[in-house]
Amino acid sequence: MKTMWRKSKIMLAIGIAILIFIIWNLTWLVFVNFKYKPYTETVPKDKYGTYHIVGSEGYNFNVKKPDYLSLTGNLGSVAPDDICSLIIWLKVFGGYKYGLRIQDNSGGYDIMVDSNGNPIRLDSQSNEEFEKTVEIIRKNKVSIQKIFDKVNSQWDLS
């Protein structure tokens, strides 16, 4: 009798675990498809199965949906001259985080910025590092503004 009782408890636990797994998968699937639908509608899949287009002025746009059971995906744009790239992470509960990649003669720089392209100071940055970031943003303000304009015309991020 005890053995049968134990088997029933084990089967119940397995059933609950399977149910939780199914619910989590369905929740993830609905979330990802709902959250990324406005972005994939304007950037369809290409012949390789990725969400990617090249706009009329040569700007590349892409959408990276989150990987299986992850909630982190992004939107991206690359300027035709490859000097400026913008990546936008969708926050789970609304809003965005922005990152710029600036390429110049002295190297490449990854910079976290706000929705207007202004640098965000990271806790780990020294004053000197942050001032260098501000200078890189200042030198590339035209390119940065243009890529933000292009992204905002491609997707409504307001």
Side-chain angles (χ1 to χ4, degrees):
M1 189 68 166
K2 282 186 175 182
T3 306
M4 195 171 178
W5 177 248
R6 284 185 190 147
K7 285 183 182 178
S8 295
K9 287 170 89 173
I10 291 171
M11 293 304 288
L12 179 62
I14 290 171
I16 290 171
I18 290 171
L19 184 62
I20 290 170
F21 181 74
I22 290 169
I23 290 170
W24 174 247
N25 275 271
L26 289 174
T27 302
W28 174 82
L29 185 65
V30 169
F31 170 80
V32 167
N33 286 315
F34 177 75
K35 185 83 170 174
Y36 284 81
K37 185 176 182 181
Y39 311 105
T40 58
E41 285 178 338
T42 63
V43 178
K45 282 187 179 179
D46 62 14
K47 66 182 180 182
Y48 303 108
T50 59
Y51 294 95
H52 174 260
I53 62 168
V54 178
S56 61
E57 291 186 44
Y59 281 79
N60 285 277
F61 299 96
N62 64 69
V63 177
K64 168 66 174 79
K65 285 185 171 182
D67 291 328
Y68 178 63
L69 296 184
S70 170
L71 299 176
T72 304
N74 62 65
L75 312 174
S77 182
V78 179
D81 57 10
D82 288 333
I83 290 174
C84 189
S85 302
L86 179 62
I87 188 165
I88 303 143
W89 294 275
L90 283 67
K91 293 182 179 179
V92 173
F93 298 109
Y96 308 94
K97 285 176 57 176
Y98 300 86
L100 279 172
R101 172 90 175 151
I102 305 292
Q103 194 72 36
D104 68 12
N105 295 335
S106 57
Y109 304 93
D110 296 320
I111 303 168
M112 296 303 295
V113 294
D114 64 17
S115 61
N116 297 312
N118 300 310
I120 295 174
R121 185 180 187 135
L122 304 176
D123 292 338
S124 61
Q125 280 184 315
S126 68
N127 289 338
E128 184 178 303
E129 290 171 324
F130 184 68
E131 289 305 318
K132 184 173 184 178
T133 299
V134 169
E135 181 62 21
I136 292 164
I137 294 287
R138 188 192 62 72
K139 283 182 183 177
N140 294 282
K141 193 65 177 173
V142 172
S143 296
I144 292 167
Q145 188 59 54
K146 189 157 186 179
I147 200 165
F148 267 90
D149 291 344
K150 293 297 179 187
V151 163
N152 282 312
S153 67
Q154 181 69 35
W155 301 296
D156 180 18
L157 300 181
S158 52

